[in-house]
């Protein structure tokens, strides 16, 4: 048997100003055929799990197409059409397939279609031979549409945040597809989308209230006939009708059981909805809390969450920490212009920089002043450990480490990168253990890596296009009523 593998992954922030172009996919991942296997076989990613799972089942893997870009603004019309065109071309080249393993993100929005994942999944369903099983994986931060569910025989989502189980879910999906192809099971699935959007701050799966919701899902998976289920926390930074939390249950031919279990999970979320409100911590309160401890603290800059599509050049916490000279601090900022100026000054040189705050929606101005250039580096890095997102390496472009004030270092990058690994810091000669306070532009994803060096995490309610207080975002297309916006 031959099983095709396709992935198109993007988390689209519709509140960001700049759209995501095809060039941004090329900078990250835009692969066809065997090059996909070379790039992902060993990765802690669902595609690596697909390859492993199919090999375990003695089924031939047929890598077709894989595209991924750093979370950012809405995918442009041209980029969306290009992705569809390449996918169609490569699928035609792949020949006859017995099944498909597909990996959308679940929160992709394009100018071509607001439900971009639903668009390409439905297109696949239409063109493959009737009866061809399609098994899908989804990110925990998906906004799930009925079109996505209707296009696939089974859908399996990540169960951890930070996402450390991606490869395991890929293996699970491959196993389920193999059992379907052999006629051992006949998967059917149900989607429940209750009128609740879980706050991004409350989506850490190792702690309440998510932990209890996931425990109910785990108990359901022990029921006879239940093949899989998923708690989808949702992605609040996409202004689409599907925005919000949802539940997917896959059973062996029992549609009523799938519906009953999905509705049970939905009812639990509605009943416990108040526990899923954000516990919003102001900048002032966060700094006061950090000052009370001698532990190494990571301040999570939730409003400039690069993993949620923010620009990564926010300066709110840098401005707040700059005067606190008794604490050694570190921040990483996307700022190609400042990198160029630092490079011109050279290592050991001095230059006047205007750091960050250059994006159209940056709520705080640049941090200005004379800086010492401590180090220049290429910005390439490799990761061997399991981290959120499954990446095994990356490229920040040319970088500069500058000293903003004695004891405050800033890593300036040319490419916008997510803080999911310590390897980018170490590659630029930065020792994260040498600081008292580190700023990471994320919410939960950085914890897997920064937990190795930080004793305490404070999620700070900073302003920006990934504002933790979703009620402050200018939604136009979300469903109504929806908690916490309206009473339900």
């Amino acid at each position: 048997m031959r099983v095709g593998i396709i992935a198109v992954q993007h988390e689209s922030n519709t509140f960001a100003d700049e759209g995501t172009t095809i060039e941004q996919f090329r900078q990250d991942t835009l692969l066809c055929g065997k090059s996909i296997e070379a790039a992902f076989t060993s990765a802690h990613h669902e595609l690596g799990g697909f390859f492993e799972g199919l090999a375990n089942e003695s089924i031939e893997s047929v890598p077709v197409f894989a595209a991924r870009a750093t979370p950012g603004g809405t995918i442009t019309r041209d980029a969306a059409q290009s992705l569809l065109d390449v996918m169609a071309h490569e699928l035609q080249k792949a020949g006859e397939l017995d099944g498909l393993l597909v990996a959308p993100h679940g929160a992709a929005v394009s100018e071509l279609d607001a439900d971009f994942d639903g668009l390409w999944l439905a297109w696949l369903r239409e063109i493959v031979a009737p009866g061809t099983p399609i098994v899908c994986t989804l990110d925990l931060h998906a906004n799930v549409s009925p079109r996505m569910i209707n296009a696939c025989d089974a859908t399996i989502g990540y169960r951890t945040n930070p996402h450390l189980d991606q490869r395991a879910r890929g293996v699970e999906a491959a196993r389920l597809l193999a059992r379907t192809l052999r006629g051992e099971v006949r998967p059917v699935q149900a989607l429940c989308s209750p009128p609740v959007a879980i706050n991004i701050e409350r989506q850490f799966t190792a702690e309440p209230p998510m932990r209890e919701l996931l425990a109910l899902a785990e108990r359901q998976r022990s029921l006879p006939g239940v093949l899989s289920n998923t708690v989808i926390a949702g992605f609040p930074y996409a202004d689409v009708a599907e925005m919000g939390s949802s539940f997917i249950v896959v059973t062996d031919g029992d549609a009523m059981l799938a519906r009953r279990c999905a509705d049970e999970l939905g009812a639990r979320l509605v009943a416990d909805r108040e526990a899923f409100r954000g516990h919003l911590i102001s900048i002032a309160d966060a700094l006061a809390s950090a000052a009370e401890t001698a532990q190494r603290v990571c301040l999570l800059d939730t409003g400039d969450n690069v993993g949620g599509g923010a620009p990564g050049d926010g300066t709110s916490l840098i401005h707040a920490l700059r005067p606190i000279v008794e604490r050694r601090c570190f921040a990483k900022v996307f700022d190609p212009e400042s990198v160029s100026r630092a490079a011109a000054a050279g290592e050991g040189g001095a230059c006047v920089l205007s750091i960050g705050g250059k994006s159209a929606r940056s709520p705080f101005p640049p941090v200005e002043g004379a800086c010492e250039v401590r180090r220049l580096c290429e910005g390439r890095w490799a990761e061997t450990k399991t981290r959120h997102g499954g990446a095994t390496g990356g490229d920040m472009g040319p970088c500069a480490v500058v000293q903003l004030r004695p004891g405050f270092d800033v890593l300036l990058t040319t490419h916008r990168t997510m803080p999911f690994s310590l390897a980018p810091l170490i590659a630029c000669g930065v020792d994260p253990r040498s600081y008292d306070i580190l700023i990471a532009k994320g919410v939960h994803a950085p914890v897997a890596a920064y937990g190795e060096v930080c004793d305490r995490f404070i999620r700070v309610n900073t302003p920006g296009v990934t504002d933790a207080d979703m009620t402050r975002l200018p939604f136009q297309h979300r469903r109504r009523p929806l908690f916490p916006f309206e009473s339900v």
Side-chain angles (χ1 to χ4, degrees), residues 300-348:
L300 292 157
D301 188 353
T302 63
D304 195 31
N305 172 13
V306 181
D313 75 338
T315 58
S316 58
L317 292 177
I318 300 176
H319 278 293
L321 287 171
R322 190 178 186 183
I324 307 176
V325 295
E326 64 272 15
R327 306 302 293 272
R328 289 183 52 79
C329 303
F330 172 82
K332 181 161 75 79
V333 177
F334 166 60
D335 192 339
E337 180 184 322
S338 291
V339 172
S340 297
R341 288 180 178 272
E347 287 191 357

Side-chain angles (χ1 to χ4, degrees), residues 1 52-59 171 174-176 178-179 182:
M1 290 185 287
E52 178 185 342
L54 291 176
N56 292 343
E57 303 293 336
S58 299
I59 294 175
V171 171
R175 168 71 173 154
L176 181 55
R179 295 184 67 197
R182 292 194 294 261

Side-chain angles (χ1 to χ4, degrees), residues 402-465:
V402 302
Q403 188 177 76
L404 182 61
R405 60 148 170 86
F408 199 148
D409 293 336
V410 180
L411 171 58
L412 304 168
T413 71
T414 297
H415 298 156
R416 194 169 59 91
T417 55
M418 297 175 282
F420 298 168
S421 169
L422 295 176
L425 281 59
I426 296 167
C428 290
V430 173
D431 178 7
R433 296 183 186 274
S434 65
Y435 302 96
D436 302 310
I437 299 175
L438 295 92
I439 299 171
K441 294 182 177 298
V443 185
H444 305 295
V447 173
Y450 283 72
E452 293 187 356
V453 298
C454 293
D455 306 297
R456 187 177 178 195
F457 292 86
I458 303 175
R459 294 172 177 88
V460 191
N461 184 31
T462 52
V465 296

Side-chain angles (χ1 to χ4, degrees), residues 337-395:
E337 180 184 322
S338 291
V339 172
S340 297
R341 288 180 178 272
E347 287 191 357
C351 56
V352 176
L353 296 179
S354 179
I355 297 174
K358 297 180 176 66
S359 300
R361 292 203 184 185
S362 293
F364 277 71
V367 176
E368 299 182 343
C371 298
E372 176 191 340
V373 181
R374 302 193 66 190
R375 195 172 294 105
L376 299 173
C377 52
E378 292 184 351
R380 296 188 185 91
W381 56 277
E383 176 61 81
T384 58
K385 299 178 181 179
T386 303
R387 297 302 189 210
H388 181 103
T392 55
D395 185 358

Side-chain angles (χ1 to χ4, degrees), residues 35 44 46 69 77 156 208 228 251 373 400 448:
S35 60
H44 306 291
E46 57 263 47
R77 179 176 295 274
I156 296 171
S228 184
T251 62
V373 181

Side-chain angles (χ1 to χ4, degrees), residues 22 32 65 77-93 112 116 120 123:
I22 197 66
C32 301
F65 179 56
R77 179 176 295 274
D78 288 346
Q81 191 59 59
S82 294
L83 293 171
L84 294 175
D85 291 345
V86 176
M87 188 191 305
H89 177 73
E90 294 300 317
L91 193 60
Q92 188 175 33
K93 285 171 55 179
L112 189 66
F116 185 64
W120 71 263
W123 171 79

Side-chain angles (χ1 to χ4, degrees), residues 34-347:
K34 289 295 183 181
S35 60
I36 302 170
E37 191 168 6
F40 284 94
T41 296
S42 301
H44 306 291
H45 188 275
E46 57 263 47
L47 290 188
F50 288 169
F51 289 118
E52 178 185 342
L54 291 176
N56 292 343
E57 303 293 336
S58 299
I59 294 175
E60 180 185 354
S61 298
V62 184
V64 178
F65 179 56
R68 180 179 61 185
T70 300
T74 302
I75 302 169
T76 66
R77 179 176 295 274
D78 288 346
Q81 191 59 59
S82 294
L83 293 171
L84 294 175
D85 291 345
V86 176
M87 188 191 305
H89 177 73
E90 294 300 317
L91 193 60
Q92 188 175 33
K93 285 171 55 179
E96 186 175 346
L97 299 172
D98 296 290
L100 281 169
L101 287 170
V102 295
H105 177 282
V109 182
S110 76
E111 294 175 346
L112 189 66
D113 192 306
D115 179 17
F116 185 64
D117 291 318
L119 173 70
W120 71 263
L121 289 173
W123 171 79
L124 273 182
R125 172 53 71 195
E126 290 176 1
I127 66 169
V128 298
T132 302
I134 301 175
V135 176
C136 171
T137 57
L138 283 180
D139 193 288
L140 179 140
H141 296 105
N143 291 321
V144 186
S145 70
R147 185 161 53 161
M148 295 181 204
I149 298 300
N150 293 337
C152 302
D153 294 84
T155 304
I156 296 171
Y158 310 161
R159 294 175 192 151
T160 65
N161 187 28
H163 306 328
L164 305 180
D165 67 329
Q166 290 174 251
R167 189 177 180 97
R169 299 288 73 78
V171 171
E172 180 186 352
R175 168 71 173 154
L176 181 55
L177 180 60
R179 295 184 67 197
T180 303
L181 288 169
R182 292 194 294 261
E184 298 172 5
V185 294
R186 185 172 58 86
V188 295
Q189 59 183 349
L191 168 69
C192 177
S193 299
V196 177
I198 296 175
N199 186 279
I200 194 78
E201 192 192 79
R202 309 300 285 164
Q203 294 182 6
F204 190 45
T205 54
E207 295 179 354
M210 285 292 290
R211 187 174 62 193
E212 286 72 21
L213 194 57
L214 289 161
L216 174 57
E218 188 173 353
R219 290 195 295 272
Q220 285 188 355
R221 286 195 295 276
S222 67
L223 296 175
V226 174
L227 300 174
S228 184
N229 65 8
T230 301
V231 175
I232 298 287
F235 182 64
Y237 307 118
D239 187 10
V240 295
E242 295 81 18
M243 193 281 286
S245 307
S246 58
F247 304 90
I248 305 164
V249 178
V250 184
T251 62
D252 184 9
D254 192 337
M256 290 182 65
L257 175 62
R259 169 53 54 205
R260 186 165 65 250
C261 289
D263 288 348
E264 180 186 23
L265 289 166
R268 172 64 65 86
L269 177 58
V270 171
D272 295 344
R273 60 192 179 277
E274 288 295 338
F276 291 89
R277 285 187 184 270
H279 294 181
L280 306 175
I281 301 173
S282 70
I283 294 174
D285 288 345
L287 266 58
S289 182
E292 294 172 354
T293 179
Q295 295 178 317
R296 188 177 298 114
V297 174
C298 180
L299 297 179
L300 292 157
D301 188 353
T302 63
D304 195 31
N305 172 13
V306 181
D313 75 338
T315 58
S316 58
L317 292 177
I318 300 176
H319 278 293
L321 287 171
R322 190 178 186 183
I324 307 176
V325 295
E326 64 272 15
R327 306 302 293 272
R328 289 183 52 79
C329 303
F330 172 82
K332 181 161 75 79
V333 177
F334 166 60
D335 192 339
E337 180 184 322
S338 291
V339 172
S340 297
R341 288 180 178 272
E347 287 191 357

